[in-house]
Amino acid sequence: MRLLGKLGLAAVACLLWANVASADITVKWLHIEVNPAQVKIWDEVARAYEAAHPGVKIEMQFLENEAYKAKLPTILQSKDRPNIIYSWAGGVLKTQIEAGVLDDITDQVKGYSDSLTPAALAAFTSNGKVYGLPTALSQVGFLCNKELMAKAKVDPAAIKTWDDLLAAVKTLKGAGVTPIVVGGADKWPLHFYWTHLAVRIGGKAAFDAALRGENGGFAGETFQKSGELFKQLVDLQPFQNGFLGFKNPQAVGYFGDGKAAMTLAISTVYHLQRALAADKVGLGDDKICWFDFPVVAGGKGAPTDTLGGITGWLVTKGSPKEAVDFLKYFVSKEVQTRLAAANFIIPVVQGADAGLNNSFMKLIAANLAKSNYHQNFYDQSLGPSVGRVVNDVSAEIAGGSMAPQDAAKAIEAAWKQGN
Amino acid sequence: MQRRIASAWAMGVVKPTSSPRAVRGPTWDGRFTVLILFLPPALLLFTLFVVLPIGEAAWYSAFNWNGFGKPTNWIGLDNYRFVLETRAFWLALRNNGLIIAVSLAVQLPLALTLALMLAERFREAVALRMLFFMPYILAEIATGLIFSFVYDGDYGLVASIWRTFGAEPPHLLASTDTAMLAVLIVVVWKYFGFHMMLFIAALQSLDKSLVEAARIDGATRTQTLRHVVVPLLYPTIRLSVFFAIIGSLQLFDLVMPLTRGGPADSSNTMVSFLYNNGISRMRVGYGSAIGVILFAICVTFAFTYKRWFMRDE
């Protein structure tokens, strides 16, 4: 009993101490950004916010991408959860909303939200309620190395169709250049091929039909064909040796080191490759080129359709109002312009794209502006249980262990099981 | 491993050295007092940390549940059906079988051979023992990371060895043909020292007079080893086999940094398969079903083994 009494006293003491400590409000902000230059700006933004709001502390926490995805469900249900978390929107966000672990911040961002790109805000809205704020848009396409392309006499601007790409791969191989580098161990970089082919072959209509279970769902013709076309590429052995053992940051570094001619990547890799290159310099603006994902003969998707991310921040249940306030500051024209000027983001706040001063980033911004159909990454938009299967089968097609038809069937099976 | 030893002890596989008093057999009164004093805390801890979690996992395995909130979507035994229908599950099971086979066929004989050579107390032996035991001290995660560099086909040690022979180095962890082999090599490297130490400890506590008697009777060194020393080691060998098998079934923390079960599920173990499917995909019900299956396999093995091979201990 005496022990219990002591324990009780200790508990009370802890509570009191905690109360004293929480007189200052701490906003815990969990991110996955690996580019130190960008984190540095974020950190400065947080410190500036703290200076303007005495008593508020912004605490940055970091988790690596894959670890973050794996831990998220547990993190969100813990009492000590962070207040602001990173999100790719899509099915994962839907699950989180249904589970009731997020705050509805509609009222707090009223008025302010009008300043955001509507499509980007829509990705964080469900049933008219806003659960988070978008922060950046991105496009998936081929980054290329000008020197290596020139060495093999391949003109990146001339790669317009899938067959052009296959021909380019053959030419590059012939010239002794590794055509494409990819982080196959993480699997999702490989799913860009499969997904983007599906976007080109079937367009928005095919994806929506598959979600409704029409035309054979994800086992339908469009998705089988994307597997088959992907297989055509795989059969040319376009990737670096041991690509299934490469994690994405490793692969990005490999591209930055100038060891491969191309990489199918998110537009942010344009910058990330510098940070991850062995010499921390990477490929300068004069050495790097870009072309959009090639079109497919007879494909129903428009050449302007884009695949990419709509990323942003969510506020978790029970967070202090300062979390939303800070977020509004973080996604303000001022900060977005600053991040855009440093070429880290394609901004979502209207007018902030004036900050873009780099021709590459301007090009991506223009592409996104032209796009009538911006497909979020399948592995995010289909939710974790199905999305991971998309990644799995993409890696299996790439590794030659699964036939395209079986891949499409596996995704449909997962979709049926999960929904 | 501490944990594994503790659990083996709890299952009654390893018994603490009995005091002379216990050998004579306690009186009923004495036993009753012991029961009243020691059973409740043990029972409480066992219920709290073993029975409840297992029961919970079994309960979750009947739901299609993503881990958020409370499970509501009851699907009965469907999760088990889904698991058994997955090719990757059978691959993982096969891999666990492979790990067990290699542990028994390579690791333990290697450990025993080294133990027989190093059981004597001379200076080099002590140094060598420490050297061989070193991998076991290293954390699994660290080991995995180190070996992922060693195996790297561009910069790794393996690659440079290959290059000295003028060959294009392979990426061992990136091929479905070699990834599991690479994992197996690390498993043997990491754990043989532990078994070697067990054997050395047993060898050092052997009754020397038996060995001397054999010598006096004119037995050669090989004969002594084969007919006297090794049979005397049987209890320790049986224990080592037990640890090796249970450890193999639970292998996870080496696989994750090395291959994460890939490529194409070729190097998954049951536990990494559970993690990749149950946790990463937020299919907690499905993952629980895998957990229950793994638990059933371990328990069945532990009890069968104890009954058949460790009866007299």
Side-chain angles (χ1 to χ4, degrees):
Chain A
M1 257 307 108
R2 190 178 274 173
L3 180 68
L4 266 184
K6 271 187 190 161
L7 278 177
L9 264 180
V12 170
C14 276
L15 279 174
L16 285 176
W17 184 79
N19 264 338
V20 172
S22 66
D24 283 328
I25 288 161
T26 304
V27 174
K28 284 176 285 182
W29 174 23
L30 180 59
H31 73 88
I32 62 162
E33 183 55 54
V34 289
N35 190 344
Q38 181 161 192
V39 173
K40 187 164 164 278
I41 299 186
W42 289 6
D43 196 50
E44 285 166 17
V45 170
R47 298 296 89 84
Y49 182 85
E50 282 175 350
H53 299 80
V56 183
K57 198 171 165 301
I58 310 288
E59 186 187 306
M60 281 171 106
Q61 304 170 331
F62 169 78
L63 265 182
E64 188 271 334
N65 187 315
E66 288 296 302
Y68 176 74
K69 288 180 203 159
K71 280 189 181 166
L72 204 51
T74 327
I75 290 174
L76 283 174
Q77 294 182 92
S78 101
K79 288 209 167 57
D80 190 37
R81 62 183 157 227
N83 305 112
I84 298 174
I85 59 164
Y86 194 69
S87 174
W88 296 267
V92 181
L93 172 63
K94 190 170 143 248
T95 318
Q96 291 161 348
I97 294 172
E98 280 165 5
V101 290
L102 300 179
D103 259 347
D104 168 8
I105 59 169
T106 320
D107 293 337
Q108 284 160 282
V109 299
K110 208 159 247 163
Y112 153 85
S113 56
D114 297 341
S115 66
L116 301 174
T117 310
L121 183 68
F124 289 87
T125 310
S126 172
N127 293 326
K129 290 176 186 158
V130 182
Y131 289 92
L133 294 181
T135 182
L137 295 168
S138 62
Q139 182 192 355
V140 166
F142 279 97
L143 279 170
C144 47
N145 181 322
K146 275 186 190 165
E147 284 179 351
L148 293 178
M149 295 297 252
K151 186 181 161 202
K153 300 191 177 64
V154 175
D155 176 14
I159 302 177
K160 296 288 179 201
T161 69
W162 188 246
D163 290 335
D164 292 344
L165 180 73
L166 299 181
V169 164
K170 282 183 207 152
T171 316
L172 284 161
K173 282 201 80 153
V177 176
T178 302
I180 305 176
V181 59
V182 66
D186 283 340
K187 295 183 180 176
W188 56 262
L190 283 166
H191 109 291
F192 289 162
Y193 290 91
W194 191 88
T195 313
H196 214 322
L197 280 166
V199 168
R200 288 282 184 259
I201 296 165
K204 189 176 194 306
F207 186 62
D208 291 344
L211 290 181
R212 290 192 302 267
E214 292 163 11
N215 303 337
F218 288 100
E221 200 193 337
T222 300
F223 303 97
Q224 287 199 21
K225 192 156 180 227
S226 41
E228 283 161 21
L229 292 189
F230 183 26
K231 186 87 184 9
Q232 288 181 355
L233 176 69
V234 169
D235 287 342
L236 298 178
Q237 299 185 317
F239 305 120
Q240 84 277 20
N241 278 335
F243 68 97
L244 287 174
F246 272 65
K247 299 188 174 80
N248 187 56
Q250 247 177 307
V252 171
Y254 196 94
F255 179 73
D257 292 344
K259 290 184 176 172
M262 300 183 273
T263 181
L264 180 61
I266 307 174
S267 46
T268 50
V269 167
Y270 176 78
H271 265 85
L272 194 57
Q273 52 89 15
R274 294 168 204 237
L276 296 179
D279 57 4
K280 306 287 166 214
V281 178
L283 302 176
D285 281 351
D286 53 328
K287 287 190 186 155
I288 200 165
C289 51
W290 168 276
F291 58 95
D292 290 336
F293 196 88
V295 298
V296 169
K300 296 191 185 73
T304 51
D305 289 350
T306 45
L307 172 75
I310 306 169
T311 50
W313 302 98
L314 306 174
V315 179
T316 62
K317 196 95 193 160
S319 292
K321 63 178 184 354
E322 282 78 5
V324 185
D325 196 53
F326 170 68
L327 213 46
K328 279 159 76 175
Y329 174 63
F330 187 72
V331 193
S332 65
K333 191 171 170 185
E334 181 196 339
V335 176
Q336 285 254 308
T337 309
R338 189 172 167 197
L339 286 168
N343 298 313
F344 288 125
I345 61 163
I346 306 289
V348 292
V349 175
Q350 283 160 13
D353 47 357
L356 290 174
N357 54 24
N358 165 296
S359 57
F360 172 77
M361 297 302 272
K362 282 183 183 162
L363 169 75
I364 301 296
N367 283 347
L368 290 168
K370 267 189 302 198
S371 166
N372 287 319
Y373 167 43
H374 184 69
Q375 172 60 50
N376 193 355
F377 307 126
Y378 274 15
D379 63 340
Q380 292 304 320
S381 96
L382 295 175
S385 63
V386 186
R388 293 252 167 179
V389 177
V390 176
N391 294 347
D392 278 357
V393 301
S394 304
E396 295 226 9
I397 294 175
S401 52
M402 192 181 242
Q405 287 77 9
D406 296 333
K409 278 181 206 148
I411 295 165
E412 175 65 7
W415 178 251
K416 276 191 181 149
Q417 244 177 53
N419 287 274
Chain B
M1 194 47 75
Q2 204 59 48
R3 176 187 42 144
R4 284 170 206 161
I5 295 172
S7 66
W9 186 77
M11 283 182 223
V13 175
V14 194
K15 280 187 190 152
T17 344
S18 43
S19 71
R21 202 189 141 83
V23 173
R24 257 188 279 127
T27 58
W28 165 243
D29 269 1
R31 249 199 244 169
F32 189 71
T33 319
V34 168
L35 207 65
I36 290 291
L37 270 178
F38 292 110
L39 187 62
L43 200 63
L44 183 76
L45 288 177
F46 188 70
T47 313
L48 212 61
F49 293 111
V50 180
V51 179
L52 280 181
I54 292 166
E56 223 173 20
W59 172 247
Y60 292 152
S61 72
F63 292 91
N64 185 2
W65 182 43
N66 62 15
F68 280 117
K70 293 222 156 34
T72 48
N73 189 4
W74 176 274
I75 54 167
L77 292 177
D78 274 4
N79 275 327
Y80 291 91
R81 189 165 57 82
F82 293 149
V83 172
L84 298 180
E85 279 173 2
T86 313
R87 186 185 69 102
F89 168 78
W90 296 103
L91 262 177
L93 202 62
R94 187 206 68 174
N95 285 342
N96 275 118
L98 265 177
I99 299 167
I100 292 175
V102 169
S103 296
L104 298 186
V106 180
Q107 181 168 283
L108 294 190
L110 177 70
L112 185 57
T113 314
L114 288 172
L116 288 171
M117 296 193 310
L118 299 176
E120 307 301 323
R121 294 170 207 268
F122 52 98
R123 190 188 296 166
E124 292 81 1
V126 176
L128 282 173
R129 259 184 250 163
M130 275 322 292
L131 195 69
F132 290 142
F133 191 61
M134 216 80 100
Y136 180 70
I137 303 171
L138 213 59
E140 268 87 352
I141 277 290
T143 314
L145 284 174
I146 292 170
F147 270 87
S148 66
F149 293 123
V150 169
Y151 284 139
D152 190 289
D154 289 318
Y155 312 104
L157 183 66
V158 172
S160 42
I161 293 173
W162 232 266
R163 280 203 194 95
T164 54
F165 292 108
E168 179 68 16
H171 287 255
L172 293 173
L173 296 174
S175 155
T176 47
D177 301 326
T178 53
M180 195 56 213
L181 178 73
V183 172
L184 287 171
I185 291 172
V186 184
V187 169
V188 171
W189 179 83
K190 175 104 174 75
Y191 296 111
F192 81 92
F194 169 73
H195 296 284
M196 182 195 75
M197 280 307 208
L198 281 186
F199 292 144
I200 289 178
L203 282 168
Q204 287 178 346
S205 61
L206 275 192
D207 191 346
K208 296 273 188 309
S209 60
L210 290 170
V211 179
E212 273 166 34
R215 285 266 164 77
I216 290 167
D217 286 348
T220 62
R221 198 174 147 71
T222 331
Q223 280 171 328
T224 320
L225 271 185
R226 197 168 149 215
H227 298 290
V228 181
V229 177
V230 172
L232 283 171
L233 282 180
Y234 278 162
T236 313
I237 292 176
R238 282 196 285 263
L239 184 67
S240 254
V241 169
F242 181 82
F243 284 153
I245 296 180
I246 288 289
S248 302
L249 285 170
Q250 295 173 340
L251 190 74
F252 170 71
D253 25 19
L254 267 184
V255 177
M256 289 316 273
L258 279 172
T259 62
R260 280 192 240 156
D265 294 311
S266 64
S267 64
N268 258 329
T269 63
M270 296 270 282
V271 188
S272 70
F273 176 72
L274 189 164
Y275 177 84
N276 287 333
N277 287 273
I279 313 288
S280 300
R281 285 168 204 202
M282 294 166 60
R283 296 177 67 190
V284 178
Y286 183 84
S288 299
I290 305 168
V292 170
I293 294 173
L294 178 61
F295 174 74
I297 293 175
C298 288
V299 166
T300 313
F301 161 74
F303 281 100
T304 319
Y305 190 79
K306 187 169 182 286
R307 167 160 292 194
W308 287 358
F309 296 102
M310 305 183 85
R311 212 181 214 161
D312 44 339
E313 279 151 50

